[in-house]
Each structure stands twice: as structure tokens, then as C-alpha cells.
């Protein structure tokens, strides 16, 4: 007996909107399914399972912990500054020992996730362009990590004001 292939569920922009606790649970489930498909897409493009898993893990931190849980934004309706705030402030302040090489791995996952979302027609070419440009600002993010690690006294507030967590 052959298994009948189930049709792939298409995501809509509203699938990632959250206005209540029940919505948050539903959106989290949609994100988990999206990340599974993202992983399979990467493997289908020729990545090893290990490479795809690393990118999907990095995308998961960004998507579920930052975009959905912290920023409370819809991943399919990205706003300018979302990647910059993640890399320049959120990642640094939510990581025990922020290192540029780890941030670069996360940014690679973020770029690939948004390329996948563009391919799925969930974000536009213009959105992909500004997201990729933000992800490419590695010199700025390196400087942010260095200046964060050098903070003394009440210097955090001036540091955070340069790239506020909230947009």
C-alpha cells in the first residue's frame, strides 16, 4: 500500500499575526512548521543535514525568540531595523558571552530564512533587499560587541540608545 502524499500547507501572512495568548501558541506552531520546511529546503538544495541544522537552529533563535516572542512582529511583514536591532542589541544583551563568530552564524541563518520566505512569496524583493543589507553590517555589529564588553558604570544606557531594542 503506497502512502498518499499530503498536499503542502501554504502559509499566509495572517498565519503569523498574534493578538492573544492562543494566537501566540498558534503562531509558535506555524513557526515550528516553517522551520521544519526551511530545514528540508536547505537539505534539498544540497546542504548536509548538519549544515542545514545549524542554519535552521540559528533561524529558530531569531524567529521564535526574537521576532515572535520579544519583538512581537510578524515574520512575513518585516519592518526596517528588525535585523539590525537583533544583531546590534538583542543578541548582545541576551547572550552570556557575545562573540562575533557566533553572531555571524546567526546572521547566515537569518539571511537564508528570509531568502526562503521570499521564495515562498511571503516577503517581497524590496523587503529581502533591506533585510540582507541589515544582515551584512558585520563591521557595525563587531563594534557594538566590543563597545558593549567595554561598558563601565552606567554606560549601558548610552550604548543601548544608539540602537534601541524597541523600534
Amino acid at each position: 500500500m503506497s502512502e498518499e502524499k499530503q498536499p503542502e500547507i501554504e502559509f499566509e501572512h495572517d498565519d503569523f499575526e498574534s493578538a492573544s495568548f492562543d494566537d501566540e501558541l498558534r503562531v509558535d506552531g506555524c513557526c515550528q512548521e516553517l522551520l521544519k520546511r526551511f530545514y528540508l529546503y536547505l537539505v534539498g538544495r544540497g546542504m548536509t543535514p548538519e549544515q542545514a541544522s545549524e542554519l535552521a537552529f540559528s533561524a529558530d533563535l531569531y524567529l521564535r525568540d526574537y521576532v515572535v516572542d520579544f519583538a512581537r512582529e510578524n515574520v512575513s511583514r518585516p519592518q526596517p531595523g528588525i535585523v539590525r536591532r537583533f544583531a546590534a542589541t538583542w543578541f548582545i544583551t541576551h547572550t552570556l558571552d557575545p562573540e562575533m563568530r557566533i553572531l555571524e552564524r546567526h546572521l547566515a541563518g537569518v539571511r537564508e530564512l528570509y531568502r526562503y520566505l521570499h521564495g515562498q512569496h511571503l516577503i517581497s524583493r524590496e523587503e529581502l533587499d533591506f533585510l540582507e543589507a541589515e544582515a551584512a553590517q558585520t563591521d557595525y555589529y563587531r563594534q557594538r560587541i566590543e563597545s558593549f564588553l567595554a561598558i563601565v558604570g552606567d554606560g549601558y544606557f548610552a550604548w543601548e540608545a544608539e540602537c534601541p531594542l524597541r523600534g
Side-chain angles (χ1 to χ4, degrees):
M1 184 189 290
S2 66
E3 286 187 36
E4 185 177 317
K5 185 175 178 176
Q6 294 293 321
E8 193 166 309
I9 300 168
E10 296 296 323
F11 288 111
E12 301 291 332
H13 290 92
D14 290 342
D15 291 339
F16 301 98
E17 288 293 335
S18 179
S20 70
F21 180 71
D22 288 339
D23 285 345
E24 289 178 26
L25 295 175
R26 179 190 47 73
V27 168
D28 186 67
C30 287
C31 289
Q32 288 179 38
E33 182 61 30
L34 177 69
L35 289 163
K36 288 177 192 173
R37 291 182 195 183
F38 174 58
Y39 167 82
L40 294 172
Y41 161 79
L42 295 172
V43 170
R45 282 191 28 220
M47 286 189 184
T48 66
E50 292 79 13
Q51 292 168 322
S53 182
E54 184 174 310
L55 286 175
F57 171 79
S58 292
D60 183 26
L61 174 80
Y62 173 78
L63 176 60
R64 293 175 57 216
D65 290 356
Y66 174 68
V67 173
V68 173
D69 188 45
F70 180 81
R72 302 223 180 265
E73 289 194 21
N74 181 325
V75 70
S76 68
R77 292 187 174 114
Q79 300 299 308
I82 187 74
V83 174
R84 184 178 170 93
R85 285 188 302 277
F86 165 76
T89 305
W90 188 89
F91 172 82
I92 296 168
T93 60
H94 287 77
T95 303
L96 185 58
D97 187 19
E99 296 179 32
M100 192 61 203
R101 66 180 176 78
I102 295 171
L103 177 57
E104 286 176 324
R105 281 191 297 210
H106 287 295
L107 290 171
V110 168
R111 277 191 302 275
E112 287 299 322
L113 176 65
Y114 280 124
R115 289 172 185 158
Y116 174 72
L117 293 176
H118 175 66
Q120 299 299 306
H121 308 288
L122 284 170
I123 65 169
S124 69
R125 167 48 67 188
E126 294 77 20
E127 290 167 327
L128 179 60
D129 288 346
F130 78 70
L131 294 161
E132 286 187 320
E134 288 180 18
Q137 297 174 0
T138 55
D139 288 341
Y140 176 67
Y141 303 139
R142 181 175 287 105
Q143 174 271 320
R144 290 286 290 168
I145 290 172
E146 291 169 1
S147 63
F148 175 78
L149 295 174
I151 291 174
V152 293
D154 62 354
Y156 173 81
F157 300 104
W159 178 87
E160 200 257 344
E162 183 183 313
C163 184
L165 280 170
R166 301 288 180 191

